[in-house]
Amino acid sequence: MLTLADPSLPAIPLADQAEPFVDLADYPDWAVDLSRSQISSRSPHFLKARLAVAERLRDAASRLPDSLRLYIKEAYRPLARQRRSYDEHLARLRELKPELDEEALLREASLYVAPPAVAPHPTGAALDVTLIDAAGAELDMGCPFNADSEESGGACYTDSPGISEPARANRRILSQAMRDAGFVNYPSEWWHWSYGDRYWAAVSGAPAALYAAVDESLLETI
């Protein structure tokens, strides 16, 4: 499994396309979680993404059964918040797994929080998304959104065998729609999908990543 700690990722060329951000809350094609009850970011821009990402998300939404909708939890994340989350998770793992050497520790940390140098959320390329039904209730996806491997017993992995068949079927629906629209999934997080970042480039075979990280202050006018 290719992880975000792989040393080949920072070497992937960066096209740094000057593509605008859009606010995903402005689209009728999906629902958004305005509560932010499951994310650490307090940024007012947490639902912003690159225009091409939004266009592909509309494609994904159109592929779902009529009774289901995408439910967006988070898109853009400030780089400073990404660094804090990564450092905090790394420190937690050092306490939980003192037997791991530094290389193994960095790899383990990257399964849940991306290293800042290659993190897709600060570029506007990534989405954390689940499914809701016609009544607005979140579907059973096998484990809570944002539950790491320790908390979920490994059920956070997209292809985890340790989840129920209904949850597995719901993941298949989400995965099929997102993949057909051009997104790639991070295998240790069923909810995480991206287009245009370095991980996407590595998985899809693109010659370069499309987007660089953007400072939060530059999004104020959007």
Side-chain angles (χ1 to χ4, degrees), residues 53-88:
V53 173
E55 290 173 346
R56 280 161 178 75
L57 194 61
R58 292 184 75 181
D59 183 9
S62 73
R63 297 172 183 273
L64 294 176
D66 290 342
S67 59
L68 300 180
R69 297 184 79 196
L70 297 173
Y71 191 41
I72 314 302
K73 298 282 190 176
E74 186 176 17
Y76 175 78
R77 184 182 303 149
L79 191 56
R81 175 68 261 181
Q82 186 73 35
R83 288 194 185 100
R84 286 197 299 275
S85 294
Y86 183 74
D87 291 345
E88 288 165 2

Side-chain angles (χ1 to χ4, degrees), residues 39-112:
I39 65 172
S40 59
S41 175
R42 298 297 96 185
S43 170
H45 310 293
F46 77 105
L47 288 173
K48 290 179 180 176
R50 300 284 185 161
L51 177 60
V53 173
E55 290 173 346
R56 280 161 178 75
L57 194 61
R58 292 184 75 181
D59 183 9
S62 73
R63 297 172 183 273
L64 294 176
D66 290 342
S67 59
L68 300 180
R69 297 184 79 196
L70 297 173
Y71 191 41
I72 314 302
K73 298 282 190 176
E74 186 176 17
Y76 175 78
R77 184 182 303 149
L79 191 56
R81 175 68 261 181
Q82 186 73 35
R83 288 194 185 100
R84 286 197 299 275
S85 294
Y86 183 74
D87 291 345
E88 288 165 2
H89 189 60
L90 194 57
R92 177 169 169 261
L93 284 176
R94 281 198 174 98
E95 292 183 359
L96 288 174
K97 301 186 176 184
E99 72 279 5
L100 296 181
D101 62 26
E102 192 65 13
E103 182 179 347
L105 202 61
L106 293 176
R107 183 183 184 280
E108 185 80 8
S110 76
L111 295 175
Y112 184 65

Side-chain angles (χ1 to χ4, degrees), residues 71 73-74 77 111-112 121 126-130 141 143-149 151-152 155-158 171 174 178 185-186 188-194:
Y71 191 41
K73 298 282 190 176
E74 186 176 17
R77 184 182 303 149
L111 295 175
Y112 184 65
H121 280 285
L127 301 161
D128 291 336
V129 57
T130 187
M141 303 299 281
C143 78
F145 159 76
N146 250 356
D148 64 20
S149 183
E151 294 166 333
S152 69
C156 58
Y157 282 77
T158 306
R171 289 191 188 186
L174 177 63
M178 296 298 284
N185 172 245
Y186 195 47
S188 57
E189 298 179 342
W190 59 260
W191 57 84
H192 179 96
W193 297 84
S194 66

